[in-house]
């Protein structure tokens, strides 16, 4: 299942970089705004590491939705989510407003 920019991945603003880190999924214990995530989780996964995680561990997203956020070159927030919709694994990418809240069901991915 693909929606948003996942339907046209060539339009996703990314910086190409090597991916090599250990990843930990941290459950949010409360709703957290997009703009607060970098302060709470300074080692939040880059989009490339996030997508590598999704490709390498596809069944992790069946346990809970996983996400990451990043800033593009002009300071806009973007977010990506790995989850399950209608029994099928899904991935979504979209621009994220700084005031949007991620609820406690989500797991943020960070580098260890």
């Amino acid at each position: 299942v693909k929606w948003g920019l996942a339907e046209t991945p060539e339009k996703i603003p990314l910086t190409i970089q090597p991916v090599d880190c250990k990843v930990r999924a941290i459950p949010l214990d409360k709703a957290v705004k997009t703009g607060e995530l970098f302060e709470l989780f300074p080692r939040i996964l880059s989009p490339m590491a996030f997508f590598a995680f999704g490709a390498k561990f596809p069944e992790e997203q069946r346990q809970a939705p996983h996400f990451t956020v990043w800033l593009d070159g002009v300071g806009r927030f973007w977010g990506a989510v790995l989850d399950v919709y209608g029994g099928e694994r899904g991935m979504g990418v979209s621009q994220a407003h700084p005031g949007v809240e991620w609820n406690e069901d989500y797991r943020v991915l960070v580098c260890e």
Side-chain angles (χ1 to χ4, degrees):
V1 177
K2 297 179 182 178
W3 64 89
L5 288 175
E7 294 177 336
T8 54
E10 66 277 2
K11 293 183 181 178
I12 299 171
L14 300 175
T15 302
I16 304 300
Q17 58 190 12
V19 176
D20 186 20
C21 70
K22 290 185 179 183
V23 175
R24 184 166 40 114
I26 301 173
L28 296 178
D29 57 353
K30 63 178 181 168
V32 178
K33 293 181 181 177
T34 299
E36 300 171 330
L37 286 166
F38 291 104
E39 292 174 24
L40 295 172
F41 306 102
R43 297 190 44 91
I44 195 166
L45 245 64
S46 70
M48 293 305 293
F50 178 79
F51 296 127
F53 172 87
K56 184 152 180 138
F57 304 103
E59 293 305 311
E60 289 293 316
Q61 71 195 77
R62 292 194 185 279
Q63 298 173 15
H66 292 69
F67 78 102
T68 194
V69 297
W70 67 94
L71 291 167
D72 68 11
V74 294
R76 295 176 298 196
F77 285 102
W78 290 84
V81 177
L82 298 170
D83 63 2
V84 174
Y85 183 77
E88 297 290 323
R89 291 178 48 239
M91 188 265 299
V93 177
S94 62
Q95 202 169 355
H97 188 276
V100 169
E101 288 188 343
W102 300 85
N103 69 39
E104 60 274 359
D105 295 339
Y106 283 85
R107 294 180 183 171
V108 62
L109 293 176
V110 298
C111 283
E112 289 193 321

